[in-house]
Amino acid sequence: MERESNSSDKERVIQVGHRIEVLNERGFVRFIGSLETCETSALWVGIEWDNPTRGKHDGTYNGKKYFHCIRNKGSFIKLEQLEKIPRRSFVEALMDKYCFDNLEQISHASNKFFGNKEAQFVGFDKAADQFKRLSSLKHIALPNYCIYQAGNDLGTKSDALASVEVLDLSSNLFSEFSEILTIINFAPSLRELILSNNRFERIETTCTATNNQIHLLVMNDCFYDFESLLNSLVYFPNVEELHLSHNYCNYDFFRLSHICPYLKTVVLDTCGIESWEQLSPLGTLPLLKKLSLAGNNLSDIHLKTEDDSKNDTRAFEHLEYINLSGNKLKGLTVINELAKLPSLKSLRIDDLSMNSDEIVPRFQFIGRLGQLLYLNGSLITENERRDAELAYIKFICDQTKSGSVEFSENVFPRLEALKNHYADYFSEQWAEWKSRLPTKQVVITLSSEMNKDESEGWTRKLPCSIPVRKLKQIAAKQFKLKQVDQLALYFHRKSSEEDSTIKFYLEDESCPLSYYGIESGTTIFVGERTAI
């Protein structure tokens, strides 16, 4: 579009692809030109709004398509109206906030008179002196300044960025990423860059890569597609903390982790992530310590252990903090999976429920996650940990006394450690339960794997209350076996998979047969403990 304008106006010319703001609503310019059948000869701007309910159409006027967008996201506004709405370059915004040319005039205007006495603005000279020394600024914050470009005169003002370590350009009107690269090229000391709520569509992969030392990069709600996001990250090879919340993209975390190998913190809140498998490449990042996934659509978690991994490295081995609030996770198996994280110290998951929709009590987390120090932002004290572990032990006993739940580390993480640490309490729980047991007998068959001469087995009716230790002694005597302590007893139990069984070992010698759910007709096999 050709227009006559002075050099200052040329910087402000609205172009297709630019971002604009009208009455606090923002959008992209998709068309500039005349509208056929329109009564006026004015130039019109076609806008695709960010707000899906702000517009009136899909880019069509009187049956003709001028640009493409989703229904009710499009509008036409006269160009002359948009040109009255101020937009700024980075240089203009910087000078407006941090530099004054008329300091003396402002100083006198700020003073007040009470009678014949002048009350001076205290501290103005100190503030003015600070603004004069732009080159000493370490933190520049310019959010919501309607900035859309770097500015042609940035080179003459580059001293202002010489010492800057933190730069906040969030909620502006940038659309071309090359403008951001131009700005940070003049900031050699920059360590933190905040770009949230700008919308980038043009990521120039041909731009010269910046040799920056930016370690923290915040780009929440900036991208519509993953390729643009990935192309932007190429320019930040040293980034350690990355915030990408509210970017709804089809993520490829394998490629992302390859481009950003030094990540220590990753924030992916409300990104529409549905599968833990999709996130698994992040588990290979050797330095990753913090991961936030709040507000996504995760319905389960599966963490690889050293046994699952082909390269003998545990997934998310150094992860210390994870936020899983606001997902679709349910059940205690979620906590069991988190127990596979060897370095986990802090967890946020304030809405985890059981399958019955009852909120999972706090003791379940503390009891199953022994290394946890903080839960939902609250410090776990020594007293709370002890009470929670005892409550967890009671839960284990209540669940397994019926024999319907496997008494193992897979179902109850930290089982063996807690049994050893709270041996007396465990004994009390079983003693109390035994005292309430009714007298009952079951018919079982003992079958020896060690003495082939006794292939037919030994069948007897025994009381349910007989402990495993006593049953071992009976087996040793019947099959003429020595070293009772080296014997292992097991039976076959139906697994969750159809038509399959698993070996279920009677590991706790102090527990009675009824504890393991032994019923009449069960065959118990006798083998060597070393063969387990």
Side-chain angles (χ1 to χ4, degrees):
M1 182 178 61
E2 298 293 334
R3 299 176 65 241
E4 291 185 3
S5 59
N6 56 41
S7 58
S8 177
D9 287 339
K10 285 182 180 178
E11 289 188 10
R12 302 178 186 273
V13 169
I14 295 175
Q15 300 176 12
V16 172
H18 278 189
R19 298 272 294 164
I20 55 90
E21 179 178 321
V22 180
L23 299 176
N24 296 321
E25 295 281 359
R26 294 184 175 185
F28 279 98
V29 174
R30 300 302 189 196
F31 167 82
I32 301 177
S34 301
L35 300 179
E36 294 182 11
T37 71
C38 185
E39 295 180 358
T40 67
S41 59
L43 291 175
W44 293 81
V45 177
I47 302 171
E48 180 183 5
W49 300 102
D50 297 342
N51 183 349
T53 63
R54 169 63 176 83
K56 299 179 179 180
H57 50 71
D58 62 354
T60 301
Y61 177 74
N62 280 349
K64 181 176 178 179
K65 196 78 166 178
Y66 289 92
F67 64 94
H68 294 272
C69 71
I70 298 173
R71 184 180 178 182
N72 293 333
K73 286 191 71 175
S75 293
F76 289 106
I77 297 179
K78 287 183 179 180
L79 177 61
E80 61 181 1
Q81 291 180 319
L82 286 182
E83 287 184 324
K84 295 177 183 178
I85 299 174
R87 296 190 303 160
R88 301 177 179 179
S89 70
F90 171 74
V91 173
E92 290 171 333
L94 182 66
M95 295 297 106
D96 182 44
K97 182 171 183 179
Y98 292 102
C99 186
F100 302 115
D101 294 327
N102 55 343
L103 291 173
E104 185 176 347
Q105 180 181 349
I106 295 174
S107 175
H108 288 301
S110 302
N111 297 339
K112 303 294 180 182
F113 285 88
F114 296 92
N116 295 325
K117 294 184 178 181
E118 181 182 11
Q120 295 185 348
F121 183 82
V122 177
F124 182 86
D125 292 339
K126 182 178 180 180
D129 184 58
Q130 179 180 349
F131 284 127
K132 284 180 180 178
R133 293 177 295 158
L134 276 176
S135 60
S136 65
L137 285 175
K138 293 186 179 297
H139 188 153
I140 291 179
L142 296 171
N144 288 299
Y145 265 74
C146 294
I147 304 170
Y148 76 104
Q149 65 172 10
N152 294 334
D153 52 347
L154 179 58
T156 63
K157 308 290 185 181
S158 60
D159 287 349
L161 299 176
S163 301
V164 173
E165 296 177 359
V166 180
L167 178 59
D168 183 356
L169 297 175
S170 59
S171 300
N172 280 291
L173 300 176
F174 288 104
S175 61
E176 298 186 20
F177 206 75
S178 57
E179 299 293 333
I180 300 296
L181 298 178
T182 298
I183 294 170
I184 65 176
N185 273 334
F186 289 101
S189 301
L190 192 62
R191 295 294 181 270
E192 300 180 11
L193 178 62
I194 305 169
L195 301 174
S196 296
N197 301 310
N198 291 282
R199 295 291 178 87
F200 299 106
E201 285 194 323
R202 305 177 186 179
I203 308 296
E204 301 291 339
T205 56
T206 57
C207 291
T208 304
T210 56
N211 185 23
N212 61 71
Q213 295 299 318
I214 293 173
H215 292 162
L216 184 149
L217 180 61
V218 184
M219 296 195 295
N220 299 327
D221 198 12
C222 286
F223 301 96
Y224 289 110
D225 67 282
F226 180 71
E227 291 302 321
S228 297
L229 189 158
L230 204 64
N231 288 341
S232 70
L233 294 178
V234 171
Y235 299 105
F236 305 99
N238 301 302
V239 65
E240 296 178 355
E241 183 171 343
L242 181 61
H243 295 246
L244 296 174
S245 297
H246 297 277
N247 290 305
Y248 292 91
C249 304
N250 185 17
Y251 287 91
D252 183 342
F253 290 110
F254 176 81
R255 296 169 64 193
L256 189 149
S257 58
H258 179 72
I259 289 177
C260 303
Y262 305 115
L263 287 173
K264 296 180 180 178
T265 299
V266 178
V267 180
L268 294 163
D269 296 343
T270 319
C271 289
I273 300 169
E274 298 184 351
S275 166
W276 185 265
E277 190 66 27
Q278 187 181 358
L279 292 160
S280 59
L282 295 179
T284 63
L285 289 169
L287 303 176
L288 187 63
K289 291 187 176 182
K290 295 183 179 180
L291 178 61
S292 185
L293 300 167
N296 284 289
N297 299 316
L298 296 171
S299 58
D300 62 7
I301 295 177
H302 178 66
L303 288 160
K304 291 183 178 179
T305 62
E306 293 179 3
D307 295 334
D308 301 326
S309 181
K310 295 180 180 178
N311 57 4
D312 295 329
T313 57
R314 184 178 290 188
F316 298 98
E317 187 171 6
H318 302 291
L319 195 67
E320 297 180 357
Y321 168 89
I322 188 168
N323 185 350
L324 294 168
S325 296
N327 281 277
K328 298 178 179 179
L329 299 166
K330 277 192 174 187
L332 297 174
T333 55
V334 173
I335 312 178
N336 292 354
E337 286 297 314
L338 293 174
K340 298 176 183 178
L341 295 171
S343 304
L344 187 64
K345 293 182 175 62
S346 181
L347 170 66
R348 278 194 175 272
I349 184 169
D350 51 17
D351 52 359
L352 182 67
S353 63
M354 308 285 280
N355 294 326
S356 59
D357 291 335
E358 180 185 353
I359 296 297
V360 173
R362 189 173 169 93
F363 80 81
Q364 292 283 8
F365 295 95
I366 301 172
R368 293 167 189 259
L369 306 174
Q371 74 280 22
L372 205 63
L373 299 178
Y374 295 88
L375 179 59
N376 295 324
S378 174
L379 175 67
I380 301 170
T381 64
E382 290 289 335
N383 289 337
E384 183 184 17
R385 185 178 302 281
R386 182 180 182 280
D387 292 344
E389 289 175 343
L390 292 176
Y392 178 47
I393 291 172
K394 188 176 187 309
F395 174 82
I396 293 173
C397 295
D398 291 342
Q399 291 292 305
T400 56
K401 282 169 185 176
S402 65
S404 59
V405 180
E406 182 182 352
F407 189 67
S408 71
E409 290 274 344
N410 292 331
V411 179
F412 303 109
R414 302 184 66 216
L415 174 60
E416 292 302 322
L418 292 175
K419 277 176 60 180
N420 294 332
H421 189 68
Y422 298 101
D424 293 341
Y425 186 72
F426 256 105
S427 299
E428 288 175 13
Q429 289 291 310
W430 292 125
E432 181 185 352
W433 178 64
K434 286 180 189 178
S435 66
R436 298 198 304 266
L437 274 178
T439 304
K440 182 182 177 182
Q441 292 186 322
V442 290
V443 177
I444 65 166
T445 299
L446 290 177
S447 178
S448 174
E449 292 182 343
M450 304 168 66
N451 192 338
K452 302 303 180 183
D453 295 335
E454 301 287 348
S455 57
E456 293 184 2
W458 180 83
T459 303
R460 288 291 187 277
K461 182 184 285 189
L462 298 172
C464 301
S465 57
I466 187 172
V468 173
R469 184 184 301 105
K470 180 64 175 177
L471 191 61
K472 284 186 177 182
Q473 293 171 353
I474 294 173
K477 182 177 179 180
Q478 179 63 33
F479 299 125
K480 300 180 177 59
L481 302 174
K482 297 179 180 180
Q483 296 182 325
V484 176
D485 293 339
Q486 297 303 313
L487 297 183
L489 304 183
Y490 69 90
F491 65 102
H492 293 287
R493 169 177 281 175
K494 216 176 219 186
S495 72
S496 56
E497 298 179 8
E498 192 175 352
D499 299 329
S500 64
T501 59
I502 58 172
K503 283 184 178 181
F504 196 92
Y505 286 91
L506 284 60
E507 294 181 342
D508 195 328
E509 295 185 346
S510 63
C511 293
L513 295 183
S514 54
Y515 167 76
Y516 292 100
I518 302 294
E519 299 177 351
S520 287
T522 301
T523 299
I524 297 177
F525 297 90
V526 183
E528 290 185 87
R529 180 177 293 276
T530 55
I532 296 177

